[in-house]
Amino acid sequence: MPSSQDPLFAGLGQAVRIGTNLLATLMVGGGLGWSIDSYLLPTEPWGLVGGLILGLIAGIRNAYRTAQRMP
Amino acid sequence: MEDPLHPFELHTIVPLSLFGLDVSINKAVIMMFLVVGLVILLLTKARSSGSLVPTKLQSVAELLVEFIRGMIHDTMGPEGMRFFPLIATLFLFILFCNLLGLIPGTYTVTSQLVVTGVFALGVYALSILVGLKIHGIKFLSILVPSGTPGWLLPLMIPIEIISQLARPVSLSVRLFANMTAGHVILGVLFGLAISGGLLIGWLPFSFTVALYGLELGIAFIQAYIFTILTCVYMGDAFHLH
């Protein structure tokens, strides 16, 4: 059993996070935009477009922050 | 060849209904009982000797406890030890589900999005509640990254809301997708080995053996990642920025 301080182990843990995080922010952003479009406002395609763009920005920002925290 | 997703289908074994809710027993439920029973059995057995010079099982249990304690100290600091029982339970349950699911004929509970989703949502909701209890309304300042100029606020707040909401999604999807994908690949390769016969079947079979070793590592790393992210989210609730 490796220590939680083991550099290989901790680095692997951090690396695996980034990919799924990018996907998850994109999904959440698109989902929020789509639900604004279809239930709240009559802004048919633009909520989805804006939501996807915001999700992409959030994902890249998170990846950047995770990478910055790496030793 | 059969459908590669066929092993993930659940069929009711004992139909049960509680207050109109469907609580039937199926393979996944039996596996969960088995995992919980095994963890309790192993840890009580490891504890029962309690000698100064640890037995084999006892030293494994001590290593596990030290490992989880290290994770909590790194991310939450010493005050996070209040959550040790929760974190240790999560880690042990997910680890044993992943590992026992690798035995042929059993069922991998963590390959169901329902299970991982409930864990992720519960952990995330708990971290929000803990943050609100400690910091009160000031906790909402997690939505404003430090050092943001005022004119950027209308853009930054939606971005932060999205990245907060993405936390439970990525936490649950990561575990579920890794376990499902690994088992599908193993199943497909083994199917190839069987249909290939002796002449060429040894090639996919050797890949199955190699990938099985990789899956053992993934089972451990995914349990570790789920737990360390739980610790990180809890730590964010403790320390604002």
Side-chain angles (χ1 to χ4, degrees):
Chain A
M1 168 105 25
S3 140
S4 52
Q5 295 280 4
D6 192 332
L8 171 81
F9 205 59
L12 209 61
Q14 273 171 331
V16 178
R17 274 182 229 168
I18 296 177
T20 7
N21 218 327
L22 213 59
L23 182 76
T25 47
L26 211 57
M27 271 163 60
V28 169
L32 279 182
W34 179 82
S35 40
I36 286 176
D37 268 354
S38 33
Y39 301 112
L40 290 177
L41 299 171
T43 49
E44 187 44 29
W46 298 110
L48 180 61
V49 172
L52 280 175
I53 291 176
L54 280 181
L56 194 62
I57 297 176
I60 292 174
R61 211 186 104 81
N62 276 344
Y64 176 71
R65 254 197 307 204
T66 318
Q68 242 183 351
R69 233 179 273 149
M70 283 181 190
Chain B
M1 222 167 109
E2 72 172 15
D3 174 21
L5 287 176
H6 174 77
F8 298 103
E9 283 169 16
L10 283 172
H11 303 286
T12 304
I13 295 174
V14 185
L16 271 180
S17 174
L18 195 69
F19 306 119
L21 283 173
D22 182 19
V23 287
S24 311
I25 308 266
N26 51 32
K27 229 175 161 182
V29 178
I30 294 175
M31 272 310 284
M32 277 196 241
F33 284 144
L34 259 177
V35 164
V36 172
L38 193 70
V39 170
I40 293 176
L41 195 80
L42 281 180
L43 285 186
T44 35
K45 193 158 169 1
R47 196 177 162 277
S48 63
S49 60
S51 57
L52 201 57
V53 180
T55 57
K56 275 180 200 158
L57 199 60
Q58 194 186 343
S59 48
V60 170
E62 280 174 8
L63 273 176
L64 263 177
V65 169
E66 272 303 305
F67 181 76
I68 299 166
R69 209 180 74 97
M71 270 198 292
I72 294 177
H73 269 255
D74 292 347
T75 49
M76 285 197 262
E79 69 261 270
M81 286 304 281
R82 258 190 296 168
F83 291 100
F84 183 87
L86 172 78
I87 307 280
T89 310
L90 262 181
F91 180 71
L92 286 172
F93 185 78
I94 294 173
L95 179 68
F96 273 73
C97 281
N98 291 352
L99 287 179
L100 285 193
L102 278 174
I103 301 170
T106 57
Y107 190 86
T108 320
V109 183
T110 42
S111 67
Q112 287 287 332
L113 189 55
V114 189
V115 176
T116 60
V118 166
F119 278 163
L121 273 181
V123 160
Y124 185 67
L126 183 68
S127 79
I128 296 279
L129 286 180
V130 166
L132 279 177
K133 190 169 173 252
I134 294 178
H135 300 287
I137 201 72
K138 253 179 68 192
F139 181 61
L140 287 181
S141 74
I142 52 162
L143 293 180
V144 186
S146 53
T148 314
W151 57 274
L152 260 182
L153 280 184
L155 186 64
M156 284 320 273
I157 289 181
I159 287 180
E160 283 298 314
I161 290 178
I162 289 176
S163 65
Q164 284 288 325
L165 288 180
R167 281 178 168 189
V169 177
S170 70
L171 201 57
S172 53
V173 168
R174 183 182 301 116
L175 182 58
F176 141 78
N178 269 289
M179 297 327 287
T180 309
H183 283 256
V184 168
I185 290 180
L186 279 180
V188 168
L189 277 176
F190 198 69
L192 284 181
I194 287 181
S195 54
L198 267 184
L199 193 63
I200 193 68
W202 56 271
L203 189 64
F205 184 72
S206 49
F207 274 113
T208 316
V209 174
L211 272 176
Y212 195 88
L214 185 74
E215 279 300 309
L216 274 178
I218 286 182
F220 188 80
I221 283 177
Q222 288 303 325
Y224 166 74
I225 287 175
F226 195 98
T227 334
I228 195 109
L229 281 182
T230 304
C231 293
V232 168
Y233 296 162
M234 288 281 181
D236 281 357
F238 275 139
H239 318 287
L240 288 179
H241 302 303

